[in-house]
Amino acid sequence: MSRLEQQFAEQDRQRINAAVAEAEAQTSAQIVPVVAATSGRYDRAEDIFGLLLGIAAAAAVWFFVPDAQPGSDSWAGHTPATKIAFMAGALVAGFALGAVVASRAWSLRRPFTPRKEMRDNVARAAAAAVFNQSLHQTRAGTGLLVYLSMYEHRAVVLADEAVLGVLGQPALDALCRDLTDLLADTNATETLCQTIRRVGRELGDGLPRADDSTDEISNELVLLG
């Protein structure tokens, strides 16, 4: 079981699925909640962390490995060439170790990843999710995506033309901001449920559910990664 599946247990997924069904009972919009563990690889951060650890290891060799003392009656210490070789080995070993550790401990990558890179990756991943979940193929252009990316702590709300025509981009932006603010105070499951129900209420008048409306897309929460 993945970490994301542990975070969103079966009862959590059922609550979110029920919130989608409740919202879609009021509107013809096809609402799809998607939660991704991360929206990018961020392997450059692994390299930076590895390089810093390698430099620290080389510096430790420089300061703590003793130098040979010419004319001394002690044979302890190392020649400059030997010490440089030790430093090079420490640099390579530290780089490799740092890269491996950062690849498994995602929290170590965050300080070395620009916010703009994370924002751009989340935007691209959300746009890809629209196509992967077929939200662009609804009969009346009523698809709406609520996308959370857990590692980046970012959210995106995207809507097809019919939903966008009713709510407008400023309202979608406000919905996304409120969703992000709510995540700081409550858990992701409750945040998604409240946001999805709000979408149902706000679309109920401008885009009500028609008598012949059908579920074109599954109501189930989509977990990625």
Side-chain angles (χ1 to χ4, degrees), residues 27 29 34 41-42 51 69 71 90 94-95 102 120 129 145 155 166 172 175 187 190 198 210 213:
T27 175
V34 176
R41 181 65 180 84
Y42 306 115
L51 179 60
Q69 300 297 323
F95 177 85
D120 292 346
L145 174 79
V166 172
L172 288 177
L175 181 71
N187 62 61
E190 182 60 28
R198 174 179 167 181
S213 292

Side-chain angles (χ1 to χ4, degrees), residues 76-121:
H78 300 275
T79 65
T82 303
K83 194 169 181 177
I84 290 173
F86 286 164
M87 290 176 64
L91 178 63
V92 172
F95 177 85
L97 177 63
V100 170
V101 170
S103 70
R104 299 185 179 183
W106 281 76
S107 59
L108 294 176
R109 306 184 194 189
R110 190 179 302 279
F112 309 107
T113 304
R115 290 187 177 182
K116 183 180 185 302
E117 181 181 354
M118 289 194 285
R119 182 174 63 250
D120 292 346
N121 281 344

Side-chain angles (χ1 to χ4, degrees), residues 160-181:
D160 209 346
E161 54 185 339
V163 176
L164 188 59
V166 172
L167 293 181
Q169 190 60 51
L172 288 177
D173 293 340
L175 181 71
C176 188
R177 286 194 301 270
D178 293 345
L179 185 162
T180 304
D181 292 341

